[in-house]
Every structure is written in structure tokens, then in C-alpha cells.
Amino acid sequence: MSSLQAPPELQTETLIQTLGIEVLEANKERVVATMPVTTRVHQPFGLLHGGASVALAETVASLGAYFWVKDSGMTAVGLEINANHLRGKRDGIVTATALPLHCGRSTHVWEVKITDESNRLVCISRCTLAIVSTNPA
């Protein structure tokens, strides 16, 4: 699998597809993905829904952690996420960039910056992931 390919199970019939998320770069050091801002991800007042930003943030953080543990029979699942929504967005594209802050045996912490086309910060998020076995007993 190339570093630009999401695992096959992440490519179809998931929230990634529903939200139109496109992974541009994915490896254990950095994940970059885009999401179109259309009515599909708006809240009732025509702005990017904070939940869509959080879903994008957790997606890129989880994917980055996956690349750390995929060969050890482990996977990453969301444990906690926070987000500060700093700028409204009505249309266009947002880009999420995830960088690891801590990669331990049982938890990872990733910082995710979501920016607009002018590289202005739309949302900042920190995601804590639990590293768990893919074969639970």
C-alpha cells in the first residue's frame, strides 16, 4: 500500500465517502485530506457544521495512527477529541493536516489544523486515540 492510499475498508460506504473527504497524503508522520464545503456539510444557517470539521479531524488523526500500528495487529480508535471552530466557511474546500504529538504503546495524540484555501485556520483540534487489538478476545 502506498502512503497515499487509505486502507480499502476506509474507502467505500463510510463517513469518509459521505462527507466527500479525499486523502492526499497519509503516512505515520503526517496526514493531509480535503473536504468540500457544500450544503451536505452545512449547519442550518449555511455554514460548515462543526461536527463535519470534527469528523474530518478524527478521520485524519485515526488514519495517521493506523499507519503507526497496522503491522502489529493493532488499530486506532477515537478516545477523545476537542475542537475550536475559529472561522466560518460557506463553500469551497477545507484542508486538514494531522501531525502526531505523542505516539505511545496504548495511546496516540494528534494535532489537526483545518484551513481554508487561503491557509487561514478554520478549526484546530486535538484527538486522542486508543490503540487496540484488531482481534479482541
Side-chain angles (χ1 to χ4, degrees):
M1 172 184 316
S2 84
S3 66
L4 294 180
Q5 252 183 336
E9 64 272 15
L10 296 181
Q11 294 181 34
T12 58
E13 297 187 27
T14 66
L15 190 58
I16 292 171
Q17 184 179 37
T18 300
L19 296 180
I21 295 170
E22 182 181 348
V23 178
L24 304 178
E25 175 184 344
N27 57 60
K28 61 196 255 183
E29 299 302 329
R30 178 175 132 120
V31 178
V32 179
T34 60
M35 181 177 71
V37 180
T38 65
T39 56
R40 177 174 32 184
V41 296
H42 279 175
Q43 42 91 308
F45 303 106
L47 293 168
L48 174 61
H49 194 292
S53 294
V54 170
L56 175 60
E58 186 166 337
T59 297
V60 292
S62 296
L63 188 54
Y66 166 83
F67 279 102
W68 276 89
V69 301
K70 68 183 179 84
D71 295 327
S72 64
M74 306 294 273
T75 194
V77 295
L79 187 60
E80 188 274 340
I81 190 165
N82 69 37
N84 295 99
H85 308 289
L86 305 172
R87 178 182 304 278
K89 183 94 172 114
R90 292 187 182 278
D91 55 23
I93 300 281
V94 290
T95 301
T97 303
L99 299 172
L101 299 175
H102 165 77
C103 296
R105 187 175 43 84
S106 60
T107 60
H108 282 204
V109 179
W110 287 68
E111 176 185 72
V112 181
K113 291 182 179 178
I114 299 175
T115 57
D116 66 12
E117 298 90 341
S118 298
N119 205 34
R120 295 177 298 185
L121 200 55
V122 172
C123 178
I124 182 87
S125 179
R126 187 183 66 242
C127 184
T128 303
L129 301 143
I131 306 305
V132 299
S133 174
T134 57
N135 299 309

